[in-house]
Amino acid sequence: MTLLGGIALVLVGRLLFGMRFEGDPLGVLVGFTLGTLAFLGLGLAVGSLAPTARVAQAVGMILAFPMMALGGAWMPLEILPESIRRISAWLPLTHVVTLMRGLWAGGSLGSHLGDLAFLIVTGVAGGLLAARFFRWE
């Protein structure tokens, strides 16, 4: 579903807004997949730690909206104050946005090793937390 949503987003951007693409499609696909897996790990961790699905949904929203506001999804990181950028460096979405912007504009995966490492650690940590605390009820 995430892949289909991403394709739809790219098509709308291209057809309605004339969006250009200067990157390597394989690199963008790798970045997109890694970002998706990192957030999948986080979502599984939240779901495994929350007592009910309703609580997990609420916690997810409480985490998602500030992350979008501070992580560069709603406004460019460059216009945020330095104090906010220091905080946003600890948010996974910041690394997804930075990685995807760079890859889309023609950057290489090698120029984003910090972002890649952060997302890998996030996904693995989330997956390990989920595996440790998941329970069938």
Side-chain angles (χ1 to χ4, degrees):
M1 290 305 294
T2 302
L3 182 59
L4 291 176
I7 290 169
L9 185 64
V10 169
L11 288 174
V12 167
R14 177 77 177 132
L15 296 174
L16 296 181
F17 300 105
M19 180 182 68
R20 295 180 324 191
F21 177 72
E22 299 171 5
D24 171 31
L26 183 59
V28 169
L29 183 61
V30 167
F32 181 81
T33 302
L34 191 54
T36 300
L37 291 173
F39 276 91
L40 177 64
L42 283 177
L44 290 171
V46 168
S48 69
L49 292 168
T52 66
R54 210 171 261 250
V55 171
Q57 183 179 18
V59 170
M61 290 294 107
I62 289 168
L63 294 174
F65 284 104
M67 200 178 318
M68 286 187 274
L70 302 176
W74 287 350
M75 64 188 88
L77 290 168
E78 295 81 13
I79 67 170
L80 296 174
E82 181 60 33
S83 58
I84 299 297
R85 283 188 289 205
R86 280 195 299 272
I87 294 167
S88 72
W90 293 97
L91 301 175
L93 187 59
T94 302
H95 296 278
V96 172
V97 168
T98 303
L99 176 64
M100 294 307 292
R101 280 177 63 189
L103 294 174
W104 197 268
S108 68
L109 286 169
S111 64
H112 293 279
L113 294 177
D115 297 316
L116 293 168
F118 191 94
L119 294 174
I120 289 168
V121 168
T122 299
V124 169
L128 290 173
L129 276 170
R132 167 67 179 91
F133 292 104
F134 180 79
R135 64 213 171 276
W136 289 100
E137 293 192 272

